[in-house]
Amino acid sequence: RHKKLRILSRNWRHKNDELDLIARDKATLIFIEVRARGSSALVSGYHSINRKKKEALRRCALAYLRRCCPAPSHFRFDIVEIELNNGEPGTLRHFENVPVFRKNDRPTPL
């Protein structure tokens, strides 16, 4: 199934943190981390994102949300995993709504 996402930003930075992609799918704002791994990698792209990285992604996403006016009513975090075969793109996996945000996360105004 093909997704019709509208890319709003690439490599958006806040201090030392970075979001690979920021997109919109209708009313939902989506923060996307892209991970590429060789087909023989021991750890998948999805599983390569540890607690420290998730916290950095959360921090950066909340910083972006603080700059949105008006703030979106819906947002989520996705991971796109690209499996490389001898340097060539192979399988692409899109994991939607990955748990990064906390239950009560809402952007606070600047």
Side-chain angles (χ1 to χ4, degrees), residues 46-65:
Y46 179 91
H47 290 100
S48 71
I49 301 174
N50 60 24
R51 183 184 55 80
K52 183 178 177 182
K53 179 65 174 176
K54 282 184 178 181
E55 187 56 35
L57 293 166
R58 177 183 165 271
R59 214 175 25 244
C60 198
L62 290 174
Y64 183 88
L65 287 167

Side-chain angles (χ1 to χ4, degrees), residues 1-49:
R1 173 181 132 197
H2 293 283
K3 310 251 185 247
K4 299 278 186 184
L5 303 180
R6 186 169 57 108
I7 303 298
L8 303 177
S9 184
R10 289 174 168 76
N11 303 318
W12 190 85
R13 297 191 64 80
H14 175 71
K15 298 182 181 179
N16 292 327
D17 301 324
E18 181 181 42
L19 296 165
D20 291 337
L21 295 171
I22 301 170
R24 186 169 285 282
D25 180 14
K26 297 178 184 151
T28 303
L29 188 66
I30 308 166
F31 302 100
I32 304 169
E33 176 72 2
V34 179
R35 292 292 175 127
R37 293 284 184 271
S39 57
S40 61
L42 298 176
V43 177
S44 70
Y46 179 91
H47 290 100
S48 71
I49 301 174

Side-chain angles (χ1 to χ4, degrees), residues 80-83 90-94:
V80 171
E81 178 183 274
I82 303 166
E83 182 182 295
T91 307
L92 185 133
R93 295 177 190 90
H94 184 170

